[in-house]
PDB file of all heavy atoms in Angstrom:
ATOM      1  N   PRO L1199      23.386 -11.126  40.643  1.00 97.00           N
ATOM      2  CA  PRO L1199      23.089  -9.710  41.005  1.00 97.00           C
ATOM      3  C   PRO L1199      22.459  -9.570  42.317  1.00 97.00           C
ATOM      4  O   PRO L1199      21.947 -10.559  42.887  1.00 97.00           O
ATOM      5  CB  PRO L1199      22.265  -9.229  39.868  1.00 97.00           C
ATOM      6  CG  PRO L1199      21.446 -10.359  39.519  1.00 97.00           C
ATOM      7  CD  PRO L1199      22.351 -11.565  39.653  1.00 97.00           C
ATOM      8  N   PHE L1200      22.454  -8.376  42.882  1.00 96.00           N
ATOM      9  CA  PHE L1200      21.843  -8.065  44.073  1.00 96.00           C
ATOM     10  C   PHE L1200      20.302  -8.287  43.947  1.00 96.00           C
ATOM     11  O   PHE L1200      19.679  -8.648  44.910  1.00 96.00           O
ATOM     12  CB  PHE L1200      22.198  -6.679  44.526  1.00 96.00           C
ATOM     13  CG  PHE L1200      23.506  -6.319  44.892  1.00 96.00           C
ATOM     14  CD1 PHE L1200      24.404  -5.511  44.187  1.00 96.00           C
ATOM     15  CD2 PHE L1200      24.077  -6.993  46.060  1.00 96.00           C
ATOM     16  CE1 PHE L1200      25.669  -5.208  44.565  1.00 96.00           C
ATOM     17  CE2 PHE L1200      25.451  -6.703  46.432  1.00 96.00           C
ATOM     18  CZ  PHE L1200      26.216  -5.840  45.573  1.00 96.00           C
ATOM     19  N   LEU L1201      19.763  -7.931  42.816  1.00 93.00           N
ATOM     20  CA  LEU L1201      18.257  -8.036  42.692  1.00 93.00           C
ATOM     21  C   LEU L1201      17.947  -9.002  41.672  1.00 93.00           C
ATOM     22  O   LEU L1201      18.565  -9.232  40.633  1.00 93.00           O
ATOM     23  CB  LEU L1201      17.790  -6.562  42.277  1.00 93.00           C
ATOM     24  CG  LEU L1201      17.949  -5.511  43.223  1.00 93.00           C
ATOM     25  CD1 LEU L1201      17.794  -4.080  42.514  1.00 93.00           C
ATOM     26  CD2 LEU L1201      17.080  -5.621  44.434  1.00 93.00           C
ATOM     27  N   ASP L1202      16.853  -9.762  42.100  1.00 72.00           N
ATOM     28  CA  ASP L1202      16.295 -10.746  41.090  1.00 72.00           C
ATOM     29  C   ASP L1202      15.515  -9.849  40.016  1.00 72.00           C
ATOM     30  O   ASP L1202      14.867  -8.959  40.298  1.00 72.00           O
ATOM     31  CB  ASP L1202      15.352 -11.634  41.754  1.00 72.00           C
ATOM     32  CG  ASP L1202      14.881 -12.705  40.927  1.00 72.00           C
ATOM     33  OD1 ASP L1202      15.611 -13.743  40.671  1.00 72.00           O
ATOM     34  OD2 ASP L1202      13.785 -12.537  40.399  1.00 72.00           O
ATOM     35  N   ARG L1203      15.654 -10.351  38.711  1.00 54.00           N
ATOM     36  CA  ARG L1203      15.081  -9.515  37.697  1.00 54.00           C
ATOM     37  C   ARG L1203      13.600  -9.380  37.746  1.00 54.00           C
ATOM     38  O   ARG L1203      12.992  -8.488  37.273  1.00 54.00           O
ATOM     39  CB  ARG L1203      15.513  -9.920  36.336  1.00 54.00           C
ATOM     40  CG  ARG L1203      14.824 -11.147  35.815  1.00 54.00           C
ATOM     41  CD  ARG L1203      15.197 -11.437  34.387  1.00 54.00           C
ATOM     42  NE  ARG L1203      15.069 -12.901  34.103  1.00 54.00           N
ATOM     43  CZ  ARG L1203      14.011 -13.413  33.668  1.00 54.00           C
ATOM     44  NH1 ARG L1203      12.893 -12.701  33.567  1.00 54.00           N
ATOM     45  NH2 ARG L1203      14.036 -14.677  33.522  1.00 54.00           N
ATOM     46  N   ASN L1204      13.013 -10.435  38.431  1.00 47.00           N
ATOM     47  CA  ASN L1204      11.553 -10.433  38.483  1.00 47.00           C
ATOM     48  C   ASN L1204      11.086  -9.591  39.692  1.00 47.00           C
ATOM     49  O   ASN L1204       9.847  -9.393  39.848  1.00 47.00           O
ATOM     50  CB  ASN L1204      10.991 -11.880  38.597  1.00 47.00           C
ATOM     51  CG  ASN L1204      11.400 -12.642  37.356  1.00 47.00           C
ATOM     52  OD1 ASN L1204      11.193 -12.186  36.251  1.00 47.00           O
ATOM     53  ND2 ASN L1204      11.884 -13.823  37.508  1.00 47.00           N
ATOM     54  N   ALA L1205      11.982  -9.092  40.503  1.00 43.00           N
ATOM     55  CA  ALA L1205      11.557  -8.556  41.801  1.00 43.00           C
ATOM     56  C   ALA L1205      10.859  -7.185  41.506  1.00 43.00           C
ATOM     57  O   ALA L1205       9.837  -6.942  42.112  1.00 43.00           O
ATOM     58  CB  ALA L1205      12.782  -8.352  42.682  1.00 43.00           C
ATOM     59  N   ARG L1206      11.380  -6.565  40.624  1.00 42.00           N
ATOM     60  CA  ARG L1206      10.860  -5.179  40.335  1.00 42.00           C
ATOM     61  C   ARG L1206      11.359  -4.581  38.980  1.00 42.00           C
ATOM     62  O   ARG L1206      12.524  -4.803  38.726  1.00 42.00           O
ATOM     63  CB  ARG L1206      11.233  -4.204  41.558  1.00 42.00           C
ATOM     64  CG  ARG L1206      10.687  -2.955  41.439  1.00 42.00           C
ATOM     65  CD  ARG L1206      11.018  -2.113  42.670  1.00 42.00           C
ATOM     66  NE  ARG L1206      10.692  -0.722  42.437  1.00 42.00           N
ATOM     67  CZ  ARG L1206      10.829   0.241  43.343  1.00 42.00           C
ATOM     68  NH1 ARG L1206      11.342  -0.069  44.564  1.00 42.00           N
ATOM     69  NH2 ARG L1206      10.614   1.492  43.072  1.00 42.00           N
ATOM     70  N   SER L1207      10.538  -3.947  38.313  1.00 45.00           N
ATOM     71  CA  SER L1207      11.126  -3.289  37.081  1.00 45.00           C
ATOM     72  C   SER L1207      11.665  -1.993  37.389  1.00 45.00           C
ATOM     73  O   SER L1207      11.255  -1.247  38.295  1.00 45.00           O
ATOM     74  CB  SER L1207       9.811  -3.046  36.156  1.00 45.00           C
ATOM     75  OG  SER L1207      10.224  -2.097  35.205  1.00 45.00           O
TER      76      SER L1207
END
Side-chain angles (χ1 to χ4, degrees):
Chain L
F1200 291 114
L1201 297 165
D1202 187 80
R1203 77 175 153 83
N1204 297 316
R1206 184 173 165 181
S1207 162

